[in-house]
Amino acid sequence: DSSDGVFSDVRVRQAVSYAVNREDILTGAKNGNGSLAYCYCAPMCVGYDAEFQANEQNIEKAKQLLAEAGYPDGLTVTCQQDSSATYMPVAEVVQAQLKDIGINLEFDKMERTTWMDVVSVNRQFDITVRQSTYSIFDADYMLTRRLHSKNIGVGGNYSGYANPKLDEVLDAARTEPDAVKRQALYTEAYAIVRDDAPMIPLLYTASPQITNVNLRGMMDDASWRDLWSRLYFIR
């Protein structure tokens, strides 16, 4: 939660962003089934920026940021987490990576209904790994829902993140008719999210399709699979 507690300090959030290694998370938690996420948008969406650069793993920089935030010897943080196999493999790799910079992540494991109530409804959490499903092909769908201050308490912004500059950029992008200008606004939004680190995108996964070897006459539509791609992120 970026609105209070230890993660209200942007340096701690940034330290987490420099601690993670997306390649290792994808391999270790998902057996390589998926792709790496660098901006808060799925590749098939309007507004996605394939050239955008996220913070790459830098252990020394992460430790420096923690020291500057007042934690030179590290700290212990509770991760309120859905205990299912959907989340725990990802969360456990993240736990190991945060340990390398001095953050001891202790899990408070919950069944899904309780976790959703704690995280999404009551917003009583420190940090969590979560996934979101894109059901609309536009960057606005996730960015505004999860990070615009107008959705604190009444929408999907369950971490209480409020940044007037990001609000301004997202509002402008929502009504910008010029595609090039709109893309530039979303790239600006991704940079704000990267630098302020209210959430950290990790990877995309998609639901596999299983068919009988004898199936004939059906065309595979990759765009339909992409529509349901899931973005894992730390929040």
Side-chain angles (χ1 to χ4, degrees):
D1 190 333
S2 59
S3 62
D4 58 18
V6 63
F7 289 107
S8 63
D9 191 321
V10 65
R11 294 168 296 188
V12 179
R13 303 196 302 268
Q14 288 173 342
V16 174
S17 77
Y18 282 109
V20 297
N21 183 305
R22 292 169 175 81
E23 291 85 352
D24 288 349
I25 295 172
L26 181 61
T27 301
K30 294 296 179 180
N31 296 316
N33 180 29
S35 57
L36 309 180
Y38 296 105
C39 62
Y40 201 34
C41 182
M44 74 291 186
C45 289
V46 173
Y48 176 72
D49 185 349
E51 304 301 319
F52 184 77
Q53 298 295 311
N55 292 336
E56 297 287 354
Q57 188 180 53
N58 187 327
I59 299 300
E60 291 309 312
K61 186 173 182 65
K63 290 180 177 179
Q64 178 185 342
L65 285 163
L66 280 183
E68 291 174 0
Y71 304 101
D73 300 318
L75 71 159
T76 296
V77 176
T78 300
C79 176
Q80 290 77 12
Q81 193 59 61
D82 182 325
S83 61
S84 71
T86 299
Y87 288 103
M88 285 309 301
V90 175
E92 286 169 350
V93 177
V94 170
Q95 179 190 46
Q97 293 179 351
L98 293 186
K99 186 176 181 180
D100 288 341
I101 69 167
I103 295 180
N104 178 34
L105 206 62
E106 295 183 343
F107 290 121
D108 181 6
K109 299 179 183 180
M110 309 172 186
E111 55 86 23
R112 182 169 179 79
T113 301
T114 301
W115 176 68
M116 291 291 289
D117 188 58
V118 168
V119 172
S120 298
V121 178
N122 296 320
R123 294 169 39 217
Q124 297 296 314
F125 72 103
D126 298 311
I127 187 171
T128 192
V129 174
R130 187 163 182 172
Q131 70 173 6
S132 286
T133 300
Y134 280 79
S135 55
I136 296 177
F137 287 97
D138 198 283
D140 176 76
Y141 172 72
M142 201 65 77
L143 283 165
T144 295
R145 187 160 64 109
R146 294 297 190 204
L147 296 172
H148 198 294
S149 65
K150 71 180 181 181
N151 287 323
I152 297 174
V154 296
N157 186 350
Y158 50 86
S159 70
Y161 178 67
N163 184 327
K165 179 58 179 176
L166 182 62
D167 289 351
E168 177 185 334
V169 171
L170 293 180
D171 289 341
R174 173 169 275 199
T175 58
E176 176 55 60
D178 184 280
V180 174
K181 292 179 180 178
R182 190 167 190 254
Q183 179 63 65
L185 286 166
Y186 281 125
T187 296
E188 183 179 357
Y190 302 142
I192 293 172
V193 176
R194 175 194 60 203
D195 296 342
D196 216 14
M199 53 74 60
I200 302 160
L202 299 175
L203 53 95
Y204 306 107
T205 61
S207 298
Q209 289 185 336
I210 301 174
T211 60
N212 188 289
V213 68
N214 297 315
L215 181 65
R216 298 290 185 272
M218 186 184 81
M219 181 178 293
D220 179 38
D221 187 346
S223 66
W224 180 253
R225 294 201 310 273
D226 286 344
L227 175 60
W228 296 103
S229 68
R230 296 173 175 87
L231 168 64
Y232 279 85
F233 56 94
I234 302 172
R235 189 72 178 273

